[in-house]
């Protein structure tokens, strides 16, 4: 048995109605009437119609035709027919050799839109506060019209709790007001089916107010009549509709329940709804027409009950109870379904319906009541069920089930088709199914056969039958894989078999990787006019082609060239406020869709505040309030209040105060005699808004000054005057017109009266004829036209200074060493300073060097010692020299007279190095040395010290020889030297104090002639030339390696041999002495340069040390503390003179050694 499966159209089957017109069919009388009836079957069915229960012969009516291969009727009204002539109940029958199916009873009614009946409408004259109902009474149309009220200008009349339209179309006034007076209350009826609108005659309403009514009555009555209209009185509610206290309402299941209560009263009553003994159904209850209408959608029997409306105002309440009964037209519980049976099979048709009242069930066979239909021994009717047993091919038929009650009926066709058919699979062979990983896979196997085939599924060519919880097998043959995995990919075989045969079909399943958004758009905050970009980077199955769509607020992107859609991003240029919103990236493939969203918040500086208002005006305070402007998505953090003084500084805005962003009022302190205007600036994280418009102006009253000038000073510019200065008050500080200053002064510590003078608004006053440098008490007081400021505080000033009159006495010098001396003096009396004591200056200069007795240009040097000091240090002196110095006192005016010059001498020191060392005239066993005396002997030279030692070919040093040379010598010939030998020389000068710094040089004695001849002979040999070339190449490589390592600061073995060439008197410290063991490039240890074989005029000039003066006092290069200790920087300065020869005193490096012999 097959239930509810479509029979393939190439097999015999009874008719099935596929399309028909609605049961209640209202047609437009101006258009052709089309009554639909479509059916399918095999063989194709033929069609016939009944009208009002009798056969409708369409061939006899030339206006009626039936569409070819269809049962649909067309009534040609537009060719002269009248729709009213075709009103009635129509039913279609579709018949073939296997049975007959029938349609519903289709009731044809033409729509109607009749005109209003003419009636005489009297004007409505109503007293103010009374209720009023304007009746519409539209004509009865089909379907009923839609009612609305408008005026002559086709404008809808406004409705409210007081005035509203009822469900019947009438216009209700709970109470009338004078503004309700008008002559064009017009009720309109719109008939949607015919698209026509009918208009009622205008209704006139005139409302009389109590005052006008009393005036009219008084004018028509004599003085003796006693009459007066009562004033408008408030009234408790009464119901205008529905009337009475109870009413009944019947509604059908599934429809919309509408209950209405409209009340009169003054004040206008408020309506409330309740359900007695229960709650109003949630999610299905709505209130309309200002809560006068209760609307419940999709009602059911459970909504039956009593509904109470309560109308209430301040004077009382009234209510009405509506008893609602929900009935039900028949509705299906189980509708009969087509049966396909094979001969000898059993089956059943079930028809179950419900309703209120409960519907009756009746059966028809091929459109004929089953009681009078031809008998079939295989069927048995049992109430709502027909049972079939051992059916035969002649049992094929169409059965109709009719369920009806007083509110309607249901009609269903279901056929019984007896067939013997082997299985067939309707799904195309090798159909490809594609699904996404981890999603359900539904693989179809649509089939047909009679008897009903059994379906089995296999995977793969030789796979076993599919079973288990990982698969779901549906009745229609579909195989479901709830969670498809990669290994679900493959070939699936569907096998359908019944007793008449077997058939199979293969389909393919592919499982694809899901589409993912691996970089989602992120929340962005961007300033107005900036650029922003949202990313949407995706990953997808390589066999699927994705499409990316961007939406803004779930709608298409604006058609704006500022929006640039890239491969994996969306860029918005020049962002504006309207770009604010949610942006969504949607990625679609043929199999799946993913999306991701992000919010764009456009921020900007806030809009300026507005509506500035000044309140609470007092003499010294006022309250300012404002309304903030739009914060532009960035909260306002503060408000800055500025003011303008239109009286003193118009156009100039000054900062007044700042308040938090949550505050929109502020109490401001004011100064007198200021014409204030205020403005407010809003501040957020983005910046400051434009200033608001200025507030109104507020001029404060004048008052005495609150404060006096600041920074009062008294300083004389001449020995006989006192200059008094101060900082003037600003304009708003004057507190009133006529600002002046009272300047007062008197000599301190002298019993004098104050001398005062009042000056205009200036900032300086000069007192003349004062003694030199005496203290004065000074005060400056502000005043204006209203009076004086508070008493000012006093300050101390001094009249003008003059040059000091006395020089420091008892100047003494104590020489500490050859470069440093200490000077002492007695302080001068303070009265003789005649000003502010600033300190003492020491002038000193070198007269001559004691060692040379030669005068030089005198260069005076100055050291300044601040304060009342009586000693100082003189650094940077030259040894063995004669100096002079004097001391002067200093005040603000200048220097006083100098003390008598004081002579002092510095002792001897060690000399500088000889000015040069030159080695000439090399022979086989001698060298000539010439030198220059030290540039700075720093004393009397007593001798020169020469030390020298040989250097062999392995760079090892030989024994050291020392020679003392008289100081008056300038050259020396060294004899008995080894031929062809390199010597290193160390040379310095001595005074009685000790030895000075040395200079070094190297030189080589020449070879003898025989050896030279042998060398020349060897040098002409080819093998020797080749050997030298190889050695030269090796040396070149060694040079490159050494150079690279030297530049990198590394160590290399030559270091030990270089150490051996160092000054014999300066031995390197051991590691345990705390020195470093790294190779050093100190100035006194540079490698010899190429070609260092001593030339005949080799000269080395000295590198002497000439200590530069770093003064210990101020004014030149340093200063002393009060105790005489030096706190400036004292440093020696070396003056390097260019050397004509090799300046290095370092032992020869391997490179130099080679250069000596190449």
């Amino acid at each position: 048995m097959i239930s509810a499966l479509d029979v393939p159209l190439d097999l015999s089957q009874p008719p099935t109605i596929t399309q028909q017109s609605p049961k209640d069919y209202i047609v437009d009388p101006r258009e052709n009437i089309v009554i639909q009836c479509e059916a399918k079957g095999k063989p194709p069915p033929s069609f016939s119609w009944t009208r009002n229960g009798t056969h409708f012969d369409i061939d006899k009516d030339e206006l009626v035709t039936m569409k070819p291969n269809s049962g649909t009727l067309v009534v040609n009204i537009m060719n002269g027919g009248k729709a009213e002539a075709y009103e009635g109940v129509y039913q279609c029958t579709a018949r073939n050799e296997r049975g007959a199916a029938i349609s519903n009873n289709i009731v044809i009614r033409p729509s109607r839109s009749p005109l209003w009946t003419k009636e005489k409408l009297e004007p409505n004259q109503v007293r103010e506060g009374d209720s009023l109902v304007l009746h519409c009474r539209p004509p009865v149309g089909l379907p009923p019209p839609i009612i609305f009220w408008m005026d002559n200008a086709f404008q809808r009349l406004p409705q409210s709790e007081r005035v509203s339209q009822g469900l019947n179309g009438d216009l209700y006034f709970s109470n009338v007001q004078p503004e309700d007076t008008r002559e064009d209350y017009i009720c309109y009826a719109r008939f949607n089916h015919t698209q026509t609108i009918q208009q009622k005659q205008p209704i006139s309403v005139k409302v009389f107010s109590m005052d006008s009514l009393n005036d009219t009555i008084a004018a028509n009555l004599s003085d003796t009549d006693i009459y007066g209209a009562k004033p408008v009185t408030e009234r408790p509610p009464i119901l205008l509709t529905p009337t009475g206290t109870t009413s009944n309402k019947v509604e059908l299941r599934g429809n919309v329940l509408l209950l209405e209560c409209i009340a009169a009263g003054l004040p206008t009553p408020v309506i409330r709804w309740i359900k007695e003994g229960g709650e109003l159904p949630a999610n299905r209850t709505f209130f309309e027409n200002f809560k006068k209408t209760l609307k419940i959608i999709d009602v059911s029997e459970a909504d039956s009950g009593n509904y109470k409306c309560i109308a209430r105002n301040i004077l009382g309440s009234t209510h009405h109870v509506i008893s609602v009964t929900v009935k039900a037209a028949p509705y299906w519980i189980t509708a009969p379904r087509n049966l396909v049976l094979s001969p000898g099979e059993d089956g059943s048709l079930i028809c179950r319906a419900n309703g209120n009242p409960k519907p009756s069930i009746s059966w028809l066979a091929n459109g004929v009541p089953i009681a009078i239909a031809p008998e079939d021994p295989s069927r048995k009717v049992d109430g709502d069920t027909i049972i079939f047993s051992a059916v035969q091919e002649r049992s094929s038929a169409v059965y109709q089930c009719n369920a009806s009650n007083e509110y309607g009926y249901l009609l269903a066709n279901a056929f019984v088709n007896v067939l013997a058919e082997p299985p067939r699979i309707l799904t195309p062979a090798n159909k490809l199914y594609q699904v996404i990983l981890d999603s359900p896979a539904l693989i179809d196997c649509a089939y047909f056969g009679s008897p009903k085939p059994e379906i089995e599924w296999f995977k793969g060519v030789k796979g076993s039958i599919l079973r288990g919880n990982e698969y779901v097998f549906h009745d229609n043959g579909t195989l479901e894989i709830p969670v498809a995995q990669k290994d679900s990919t493959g070939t699936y075989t569907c096998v359908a078999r019944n007793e008449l045969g077997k058939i199979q079909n293969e389909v393919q399943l592919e499982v694809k990787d899901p589409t993912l958004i691996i970089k989602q758009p992120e929340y962005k905050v961007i300033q107005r006019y900036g650029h922003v970009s949202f990313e949407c980077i995706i990953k997808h199955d390589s066999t699927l082609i994705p499409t990316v769509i961007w939406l803004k607020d779930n709608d298409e992107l604006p058609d704006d060239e500022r929006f640039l859609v890239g491969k994996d991003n969306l860029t918005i240029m020049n962002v504006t406020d309207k770009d604010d919103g949610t942006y969504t990236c949607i990625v679609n493939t043929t199999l799946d869709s993913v999306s991701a969203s992000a919010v764009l918040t456009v921020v900007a500086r806030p809009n300026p505040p507005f509506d500035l208002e000044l309140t609470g005006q007092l003499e010294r305070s006022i309250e300012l309030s404002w309304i903030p402007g739009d914060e532009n998505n960035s909260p306002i953090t503060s408000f800055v209040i500025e003011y303008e003084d239109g009286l003193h500084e118009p156009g100039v805005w000054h900062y007044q105060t700042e308040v938090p962003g949550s505050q929109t009022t502020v109490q401001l302190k004011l100064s007198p005699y200021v014409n204030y205007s205020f403005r407010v600036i809003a501040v957020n994280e983005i910046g400051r808004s434009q200033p608001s418009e200025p507030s109104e102006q507020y001029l404060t009253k004048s008052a005495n000054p609150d404060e006096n000038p600041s920074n009062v000073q008294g300083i004389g510019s001449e020995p006989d005057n006192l200059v008094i200065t101060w900082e003037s008050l600003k304009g708003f500080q004057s507190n009133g017109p006529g600002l002046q200053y009272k300047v007062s002064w008197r000599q301190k510590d002298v019993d004098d009266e104050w001398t005062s003078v009042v000056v205009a608004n200036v900032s300086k006053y000069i007192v003349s004829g004062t003694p030199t440098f005496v203290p004065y008490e000074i005060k400056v007081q502000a005043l204006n036209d209203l009076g004086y400021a508070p008493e000012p505080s006093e300050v101390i000033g001094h009249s003008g200074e003059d040059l000091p009159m006395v020089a420091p006495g008892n100047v003494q010098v104590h020489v500490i060493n050859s470069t440093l001396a200490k000077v002492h003096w007695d302080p001068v009396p303070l009265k003789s300073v005649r000003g502010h004591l600033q300190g003492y200056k020491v002038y000193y200069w070198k007269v001559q060097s004691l060692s040379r007795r030669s005068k030089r240009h005198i260069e005076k040097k100055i050291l300044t010692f601040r304060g009342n000091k009586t000693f100082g240090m003189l650094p940077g002196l030259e040894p063995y020299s004669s100096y002079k110095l004097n001391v002067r006192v200093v005040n603000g005016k200048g220097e006083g007279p100098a003390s008598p010059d004081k002579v002092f001498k510095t002792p001897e020191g060690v000399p500088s190095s000889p000015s040069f060392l030159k080695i000439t005239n090399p022979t086989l066993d001698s060298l000539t040395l010439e030198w220059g005396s030290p540039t700075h002997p720093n004393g009397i030279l007593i001798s020169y010290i020469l030390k020298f030692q040989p250097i062999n070919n392995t760079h090892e040093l030989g024994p050291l020889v020392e020679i003392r040379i008289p100081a008056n010598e300038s050259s020396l010939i060294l004899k008995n030297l080894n031929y062809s030998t390199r010597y290193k020389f160390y040379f310095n000068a001595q005074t009685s104090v000790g030895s000075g710094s040395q200079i070094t040089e190297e030189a080589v004695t020449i070879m003898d002639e025989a050896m030279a001849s042998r060398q020349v002979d060897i040098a002409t040999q080819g093998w020797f030339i080749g050997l030298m070339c190889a050695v030269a190449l090796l040396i070149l490589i060694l040079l490159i390696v050494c150079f690279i390592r030297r530049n990198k600061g590394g160590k290399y073995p030559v270091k030990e041999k270089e150490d051996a060439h160092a000054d014999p008197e300066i031995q390197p410290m051991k590691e345990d002495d705390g020195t470093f063991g790294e190779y050093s490039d100190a100035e006194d240890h540079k490698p010899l340069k190429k070609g260092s074989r001593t030339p005949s005029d080799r000269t080395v000039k000295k590198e002497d040390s000439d200590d530069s003066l770093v003064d210990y006092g101020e004014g030149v290069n340093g200063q002393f503390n009060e105790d005489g200790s030096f706190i400036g920087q004292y440093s020696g300065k070396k003056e390097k003179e260019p050397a004509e020869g090799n300046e290095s005193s370092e032992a020869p490096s391997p490179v130099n050694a080679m250069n000596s012999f190449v």
Side-chain angles (χ1 to χ4, degrees), residues 919 927 981-985 1001-1005 1092-1094 1098:
I919 303 175
L927 292 168
T981 301
R982 176 174 293 277
Y983 288 89
K984 186 166 186 177
F985 299 90
E1001 185 55 84
E1002 293 184 8
V1004 182
T1005 57
S1092 60
R1093 186 174 298 176
T1094 306
R1098 178 170 274 317

Side-chain angles (χ1 to χ4, degrees), residues 905-941:
K905 298 178 181 179
T906 56
E908 288 187 75
V910 296
S912 62
S913 60
S915 57
F916 66 89
L917 174 63
K918 183 166 59 175
I919 303 175
T920 59
N921 302 325
T923 65
L924 289 176
D925 60 352
S926 68
L927 292 168
T928 301
L929 279 67
E930 297 178 359
W931 59 87
S933 61
T935 305
H936 299 283
N938 294 337
I940 299 175
L941 295 181

